[in-house]
Amino acid sequence: MAVAPHLHLPPTDRVLSSRTGWTRAHWEATADRMLEALTPYATPGFAQYRLPGRGSWSGVVSDGLEGFARSFLLAACRIAGAGGAVDPALTERYAAGLAAGTDAASGEAWPRLTDCSQQMVEAASIAVALHETRPWIWDRLDARVQERVVDWFSGFVGGRTWDNNWRLFQVVSEQFLASVGAPYSASDIEEGLDRIEDWYVGDGWYTDGDGRNFDYYIGWAMHLYPLLWARIAGPGGDGGRSAVHRRRLSRFLEDYPYFFGADGAPVHQGRSLTYRFAALAPVWMGALADCTPLAPGLTRRLASGTLRHFAERGVPDERGLLTLGWYDTFLPSTQPYSGPASPYWASKGFLGLLLPPDHEVWTARELPLPVEESDTYTALPAPGWLLHGTRHDGIVRLVNHGSDHNPPAPDSADIEAGADPDLGAGEDDPHYAKFAYSTATAPESAPHATVRDVDGHLALLAPDGTPSRRRRIHPLRCEDRVASSWSAARLPGDERAYRIETTSVLHGPWEIRVHRVEAPEGAVVREGGHAVAHAQSPFASSAPDWALARTADGLSSALVALYGWDGGVDGAAVARDVESNAYGPHSAVPYLRSAPHAGGRSVHVSLVVLSRDSIHPEALRTAVRVRVDGDAVVLTFLDGRTVEA
């Protein structure tokens, strides 16, 4: 797949970078194009960049500040990485923007920092950028401008932030104040860093705030800002904290390459996906902090592969802009807080430019990703995830038994005493609630999508067709190639919460799901596979006990009934939708349906396939032998492997 010519990239180097062809020069050219493309949207004093696209709930001025702050981080990587040897207009634009943005009389002043305001997010980017470019921007600012910048940042001192990754925005911003001799609150910094200790769950993983909030924020926020803070604090100024943060990031990075497909795509899961290659931030931070377990050639191969993946798919677009979406504009990949400049948090993906050109990350020969060397299986007990990648097609799949982005559940004692385990749970966000995600698919996520409740979900259907939701996920097990969890299912007009317990077993490119279902009489059990999407309408085929959808480029999703479905002629089908998937305008989802439930408990076993191979569902029905004896379900594969679920 070719990179769009509007990026004006240098020739590829297949000796140094045999996998991607990209070198540091490609990163610099991409950064230059992205920064140049912003200038037509700048306000006269360059304090705001008002980009085209849907506005956020914070308003046009806040969105303009976002454009300045997030692109300033990209400019800082470019300026500092080149030792200041860049087009002088670049540093002049951002110096002018600092002057105008902090001048109440300029007509383009930034909103003041107030408790829990969006400005807090943007201030952190400005603080980091000012620190990294200090010799070329901060030190050359007029003293009156420096005073105004300090005054603006002082809104953080003693202020209140949201109790999640936002605590770290205050930490880095007040540390910048300390670094320039301005008043700040040491207790704000200490309390913010202490608070994230409550969210560390082991093996390099944090949850972003209370609950089970696992997504890319763990890498591009929870691991990133503590070590950026340490860079601002300087040697000896971190009180020994950075040693802990470095160890945790190192552990996190041991597993992180398993999230990326051979084509460079990251697994499509979680919120704020419009930040795209910001997912590379922890990879570069590991190298910057000298704590990465990854070989230099693997670091660059992972990073260049991901940046190139998006460049080959039109990111940035023909104007040089990052749009609100994944590849093209796709608003369901965003949140209400996302404005037209929000995607420029992707600037974090360029932190590697802060490493000097002669650093071994830039000079070592590329090494293959894990999925390019062998089939991979990775159990991540902290978030409750299984990752499995297949070398022959380069796809990585994530099986989700632990991240739901909901408030904490009642504790086990309360549940035993009769408390509702689903009490307080929010909506079932499609970017968290599905059983499976991958590097080749996205969930059906548009509000209008008729199949939003089908893909990657097992539901009880009420007589009127209303499906139950998978809101709060209760992990049970995650080890080797097996993970399990349970959730409560509810139907309209029925006060009871029905328990659905699911175990996933991995075998090659397959996931076998064993569901133990409680249901009322007459309910129908329905399960959906991966949604596939393309510019052309996918091919679909089905029989009573299997369904398959395949895109024009050969990506197939299939769901095969192995036990307990018995849905008759209507037992399997393919659902379709349009403009509901980040991967393409036409999407399709295979699904299974049971006969009306007799009431009580039942067992349902299905085989889930996502592959670029040809798939023969009838043959797959014989690939796994299922034996059910009461609560015991034993799976036997053709190679003799036996698993009790």
Side-chain angles (χ1 to χ4, degrees):
M1 190 176 291
V3 175
H6 66 263
L7 285 178
H8 306 298
L9 298 177
T12 57
D13 183 340
R14 292 292 177 178
V15 175
L16 181 64
S17 303
S18 61
R19 302 278 171 168
T20 69
W22 279 37
T23 65
R24 182 185 177 98
H26 292 78
W27 284 79
E28 291 174 341
T30 302
D32 289 345
R33 175 62 182 133
M34 290 171 59
L35 290 165
E36 175 193 17
L38 294 169
T39 55
Y41 304 97
T43 50
F46 295 101
Q48 299 177 35
Y49 290 88
R50 298 187 175 182
L51 303 180
R54 185 204 66 194
S56 76
W57 59 14
S58 298
V60 65
V61 176
S62 176
D63 289 350
L65 164 62
E66 190 171 64
F68 175 89
R70 300 189 180 198
S71 65
F72 186 20
L73 184 57
L74 176 60
C77 293
R78 187 70 178 93
I79 294 166
V86 295
D87 184 343
L90 181 61
T91 54
E92 291 166 4
R93 284 202 302 270
Y94 285 94
L98 289 162
T102 55
D103 181 359
S106 69
E108 51 191 281
W110 302 331
R112 299 291 299 178
L113 289 169
T114 56
D115 287 354
C116 299
S117 63
Q118 181 64 31
Q119 296 87 269
M120 287 182 161
V121 185
E122 312 319 323
S125 291
I126 295 173
V128 172
L130 281 171
H131 171 74
E132 298 295 345
T133 60
R134 186 165 181 165
W136 306 284
I137 294 183
W138 175 261
D139 290 348
R140 299 180 183 182
L141 289 177
D142 183 271
R144 291 170 298 177
V145 176
Q146 289 182 338
E147 290 172 3
R148 294 203 307 266
V149 171
V150 165
D151 179 63
W152 185 73
F153 271 110
S154 68
F156 256 123
V157 180
R160 181 174 63 87
T161 74
W162 297 117
D163 197 29
N164 54 17
N165 68 85
W166 280 47
R167 298 294 292 263
L168 296 171
F169 303 149
Q170 185 171 35
V171 166
V172 297
S173 296
E174 292 204 46
Q175 191 62 54
F176 172 73
L177 287 174
S179 75
V180 297
Y184 72 102
S185 169
S187 63
D188 283 351
I189 294 173
E190 293 297 313
E191 289 170 8
L193 292 169
D194 286 344
R195 182 62 174 124
I196 70 169
E197 295 300 308
D198 299 330
W199 301 324
Y200 185 69
V201 295
D203 292 337
W205 284 89
Y206 294 86
T207 174
D208 181 15
D210 294 333
R212 297 191 59 82
N213 305 318
F214 301 107
D215 54 28
Y216 286 108
Y217 274 86
I218 309 310
W220 65 41
M222 307 305 291
H223 279 296
L224 181 68
Y225 287 105
L227 289 170
L228 288 173
W229 162 77
R231 286 171 68 87
I232 301 173
D238 64 354
R241 288 184 185 265
S242 64
V244 174
H245 297 147
R246 290 170 73 249
R247 285 197 300 270
R248 290 176 180 173
L249 176 56
S250 179
R251 176 64 187 90
F252 178 78
L253 290 174
E254 288 179 21
D255 299 321
Y256 201 56
Y258 294 91
F259 281 83
F260 295 81
D263 63 356
V267 169
H268 192 96
Q269 179 273 340
R271 75 191 192 282
S272 301
L273 289 168
T274 193
Y275 302 159
R276 299 175 174 101
F277 37 85
L280 300 173
V283 178
W284 288 126
M285 193 70 247
L288 283 165
D290 193 25
C291 64
T292 182
L294 309 181
L298 177 57
T299 294
R300 191 176 77 256
R301 189 270 174 269
L302 194 164
S304 292
T306 297
L307 187 60
R308 176 167 182 152
H309 174 85
F310 284 101
E312 289 175 335
R313 290 158 179 81
V315 182
D317 69 8
E318 70 283 356
R319 301 166 295 178
L321 301 180
L322 301 180
T323 61
L324 283 165
W326 184 245
Y327 299 136
D328 301 326
T329 299
F330 186 72
L331 296 182
S333 289
T334 68
Q335 281 66 45
Y337 57 71
S338 303
S342 290
Y344 285 82
W345 242 30
S347 298
K348 296 178 179 184
F350 285 83
L351 288 171
L353 290 178
L354 295 175
L355 295 165
D358 61 355
H359 190 282
E360 58 185 348
V361 161
W362 294 114
T363 60
R365 297 189 67 180
E366 283 185 346
L367 297 175
L369 291 171
V371 74
E372 292 179 299
E373 292 193 293
S374 65
D375 291 353
T376 62
Y377 302 92
T378 308
L380 302 172
W385 287 343
L386 296 177
L387 293 170
H388 63 128
T390 41
R391 179 185 179 189
H392 68 277
D393 59 11
I395 296 173
V396 172
R397 307 153 192 82
L398 183 154
V399 179
N400 176 32
H401 286 278
S403 183
D404 57 22
H405 202 238
N406 271 304
D411 62 32
S412 56
D414 289 337
I415 294 175
E416 289 293 331
D420 185 345
D422 216 28
L423 185 66
E427 291 301 309
D428 54 337
D429 187 323
H431 293 100
Y432 292 91
K434 305 298 185 182
F435 275 112
Y437 299 90
S438 85
T439 57
T441 62
E444 298 289 289
S445 55
H448 72 264
T450 58
V451 296
R452 179 170 169 159
D453 301 315
V454 180
D455 70 297
H457 180 48
L458 183 123
L460 301 182
L461 302 182
D464 65 356
T466 301
S468 64
R469 311 285 187 176
R470 189 190 189 208
R471 291 191 172 96
R472 182 170 287 125
I473 300 170
H474 303 265
L476 295 172
R477 176 186 181 190
C478 184
E479 58 188 357
D480 191 25
R481 304 184 191 183
V482 181
S484 59
S485 63
W486 71 273
S487 58
R490 298 178 178 277
L491 294 174
D494 189 339
E495 295 183 356
R496 181 176 174 184
Y498 297 93
R499 180 177 172 120
I500 296 177
E501 181 179 319
T502 299
T503 298
S504 294
V505 179
L506 304 182
H507 188 84
W510 310 335
E511 177 196 352
I512 294 83
R513 293 184 195 150
V514 178
H515 305 283
R516 293 178 176 85
V517 176
E518 292 181 350
E521 183 179 358
V524 170
V525 181
R526 184 186 67 194
E527 179 174 22
H530 288 269
V532 292
H534 195 265
Q536 302 173 32
S537 183
F539 165 82
S541 181
S542 63
D545 50 10
W546 60 265
L548 177 147
R550 184 175 66 248
T551 62
D553 59 358
L555 178 64
S556 295
S557 171
L559 197 59
V560 181
L562 297 180
Y563 181 90
W565 289 97
D566 302 324
V569 294
D570 297 323
V574 174
R576 298 180 181 275
D577 218 319
V578 293
E579 302 293 354
S580 60
N581 194 292
Y583 273 66
H586 296 278
S587 53
V589 183
Y591 68 89
L592 302 173
R593 284 172 55 103
S594 75
H597 206 279
R601 297 184 179 184
S602 60
V603 173
H604 305 263
V605 184
S606 53
L607 188 151
V608 183
V609 187
L610 178 70
S611 180
R612 297 195 185 278
D613 277 343
S614 295
I615 295 176
H616 304 281
E618 287 290 350
L620 287 174
R621 291 182 64 246
T622 67
V624 187
R625 188 166 70 251
V626 180
R627 179 168 56 86
V628 179
D629 184 7
D631 283 339
V633 179
V634 178
L635 308 175
T636 303
F637 298 94
L638 288 175
D639 62 4
R641 179 181 175 227
T642 297
V643 178
E644 181 173 339

